[in-house]
Amino acid sequence: MQENHSQGKRSKKKRRRSENSILAGSILLCIVTLTAVTICLVMVFQYRAVQQKNTAVMSELEAIRLKEEAAYNQAEVDAMIESAVEEAKEKTGEEVEERILDRLKGFMTSGQGTTEMLRSFFPDEIVVADAGQYYFFPILEALAKNTYDPDSFLADRDGVMHYYEDGNLASRKGIDVSRYQDRIDWEKVAEDEVDYAFIRLGIRGYTEGEILEDETFERNIKGALKNDIDVGVYFFTQAMSVEEAEEEAEFVIESITPYKVTYPVVIDVEAVTSAKARGNDLTSEERTKYCIAFCEKIKEAGYTPMIYGNLKTFMLLLNIEELEEYDKWFAYYDDKYYFPYEFKIWQYTNKGTVSGIKGDVDLNISFETPKEIDEEED
């Protein structure tokens, strides 16, 4: 019995040592992982600092070239770039790294993600995360910026966003709907103080390319208008040519002719996750050209064209500098938007609740009043 008892004690000690070893190993692994992440992020910041410095040098050289007609040869340019790199490295010394580490620690302990952290470190650029990569876009001075005061956006207890100017309400509450909302009680929607609704008119199939009308379009647009809710429409594009984009626009125009559409007519530009999507290999130049073709057709018909998209749409899929003249409907699900350029409508959540609609619905905030339509046009 005593021998068995001693063996039991030794067994317990071994288990404790084993558990302690596992715990120590886990802690060590966490420390190593955190250190590795920190080093990687510091290297990213150093690389971006060098990159920005190089960009500044190249801009300066371009200005000199324009003034003095190529005052530097290639060897001199290379020497200046090398000098800029060394200067950036010198500036990223212990003091700078310590500040970076303090900020990194703050982001980690607050639970904020890497994307938010990078955006904090690079406020003069638009940081877009997509498919495990990060893209940095300089904010273009030539493009018009939105002038909204971020502190003037306030959500009520139901999560509905409002915008105020000098203490007065300066925004309108809106939704967008499609067949996914099934049958809608538009009378109850109106009672919930919804000012406008974007109705999905249709889509172009992303494999076969056939144009299809949304099965609830007619019922939804009639129901909204009957209850004095202003309407706009949107079409999900998968155009592969200017001709297809114009075909989509013509389909939209023909479909809305019987109705009083006072809000914009929207082309919905989004990436499709399916590997079989027909538009997967389109370039940003091609998508932009097709987008313009759609918008011009809509404008010719007397409606206000608009482009719907998120950060990926406007920064990766399209050339935003070529779309300056068209209104933007920006999708970004947060209580603060992240987009420096002009936009007229902000879709701030896809988890909204509205009377008369079962389940979730997209909520939008608009800063524009509906287009006036003469009675003769109605």
Side-chain angles (χ1 to χ4, degrees):
M1 293 291 291
Q2 183 65 32
E3 182 179 349
N4 289 339
H5 182 66
S6 299
Q7 287 177 349
K9 281 187 175 181
R10 285 197 295 271
S11 178
K12 286 181 180 179
K13 286 181 180 178
K14 285 182 179 178
R15 282 201 301 273
R16 278 199 295 271
R17 283 198 297 270
S18 177
E19 289 170 357
N20 290 338
S21 297
I22 292 171
L23 179 60
S26 299
I27 293 172
L28 180 60
L29 180 61
C30 289
I31 293 172
V32 170
T33 302
L34 180 58
T35 303
V37 169
T38 302
I39 291 171
C40 287
L41 288 170
V42 170
M43 289 175 67
V44 168
F45 301 139
Q46 291 177 335
Y47 173 74
R48 290 297 296 159
V50 171
Q51 201 175 45
Q52 290 171 333
K53 188 68 177 180
N54 289 348
T55 301
V57 170
M58 294 307 294
S59 298
E60 183 179 340
L61 291 180
E62 178 64 11
I64 294 172
R65 186 191 67 78
L66 292 174
K67 289 181 181 179
E68 302 183 8
E69 295 298 327
Y72 295 93
N73 59 35
Q74 187 60 49
E76 290 170 327
V77 171
D78 291 342
M80 291 185 70
I81 292 176
E82 184 178 350
S83 175
V85 170
E86 291 303 318
E87 183 180 343
K89 286 181 178 178
E90 289 174 5
K91 289 183 178 179
T92 314
E94 291 184 6
E95 184 180 344
V96 174
E97 288 190 11
E98 187 176 344
R99 289 204 304 272
I100 290 174
L101 290 173
D102 286 342
R103 292 182 66 184
L104 285 176
K105 189 186 296 183
F107 274 99
M108 289 177 175
T109 55
S110 66
Q112 297 183 70
T114 303
T115 304
E116 287 76 13
M117 179 165 52
L118 290 174
R119 287 171 180 171
S120 171
F121 276 100
F122 303 105
D124 297 327
E125 297 182 80
I126 302 171
V127 180
V128 182
D130 180 61
Q133 296 188 52
Y134 294 92
Y135 301 86
F136 296 78
F137 298 92
I139 297 175
L140 302 175
E141 290 302 320
L143 296 187
K145 313 300 185 296
N146 74 71
T147 57
Y148 307 125
D149 177 5
D151 294 330
S152 293
F153 288 94
L154 298 173
D156 62 23
R157 62 183 180 182
D158 296 320
V160 178
M161 191 75 72
H162 303 282
Y163 186 74
Y164 296 88
E165 289 180 350
D166 300 324
N168 300 313
L169 182 64
S171 62
R172 307 186 85 217
K173 175 184 177 181
I175 59 175
D176 57 272
V177 298
S178 67
R179 69 181 182 87
Y180 297 109
Q181 276 67 48
D182 198 15
R183 188 168 291 275
I184 297 173
D185 186 333
W186 284 100
E187 184 176 355
K188 289 184 177 179
V189 172
E191 290 173 357
D192 204 0
E193 300 181 337
V194 171
D195 298 307
Y196 62 94
F198 280 100
I199 315 294
R200 190 173 79 165
L201 194 156
I203 65 170
R204 185 186 287 277
Y206 62 80
T207 55
E208 301 301 322
E210 182 183 359
I211 290 180
L212 302 170
E213 182 178 298
D214 188 299
E215 60 200 57
T216 62
F217 166 68
E218 187 175 348
R219 184 172 74 230
N220 280 336
I221 195 168
K222 286 180 177 179
L225 290 172
K226 182 180 178 180
N227 288 278
D228 298 321
I229 296 172
D230 293 309
V231 298
V233 299
Y234 69 97
F235 184 90
F236 180 81
T237 183
Q238 277 286 287
M240 295 288 290
S241 66
V242 167
E243 290 73 24
E244 284 194 350
E246 291 178 341
E247 180 188 16
E248 292 175 355
E250 288 164 359
F251 173 78
V252 170
I253 293 164
E254 183 180 350
S255 300
I256 64 177
T257 297
Y259 305 107
K260 185 178 180 180
V261 176
T262 56
Y263 258 67
V265 174
V266 183
I267 180 170
D268 181 350
V269 184
E270 297 179 73
V272 176
T273 55
S274 172
K276 298 179 180 179
R278 67 202 305 262
N280 282 352
D281 294 329
L282 288 176
T283 65
S284 58
E285 289 77 12
E286 289 171 328
R287 276 198 185 86
T288 301
K289 184 163 58 175
Y290 308 156
C291 194
I292 291 172
F294 180 97
C295 289
E296 286 301 303
K297 277 287 183 183
I298 297 301
K299 188 164 63 174
E300 287 172 11
Y303 299 99
T304 302
M306 178 176 274
I307 304 166
Y308 169 90
N310 51 26
L311 272 176
K312 180 175 179 177
T313 299
F314 292 118
M315 305 313 300
L316 295 178
L317 300 185
L318 298 171
N319 293 336
I320 192 170
E321 58 268 34
E322 295 181 33
L323 302 169
E324 176 81 343
E325 66 176 283
Y326 305 111
D327 291 345
K328 313 294 188 304
W329 176 6
F330 181 56
Y332 189 77
Y333 302 149
D334 204 338
D335 56 357
K336 291 188 181 296
Y337 64 86
Y338 178 75
F339 195 62
Y341 303 122
E342 273 191 348
F343 60 90
K344 296 296 180 66
I345 297 173
W346 173 21
Q347 184 185 83
Y348 57 90
T349 183
N350 61 350
K351 301 292 184 183
T353 302
V354 170
S355 297
I357 299 178
K358 297 176 183 177
D360 297 333
V361 63
D362 298 338
L363 292 181
N364 301 277
I365 183 169
S366 171
F367 314 97
E368 298 293 309
T369 55
K371 179 182 178 182
E372 293 292 334
I373 295 182
D374 295 334
E375 291 301 319
E376 295 180 358
E377 298 180 13
D378 187 5

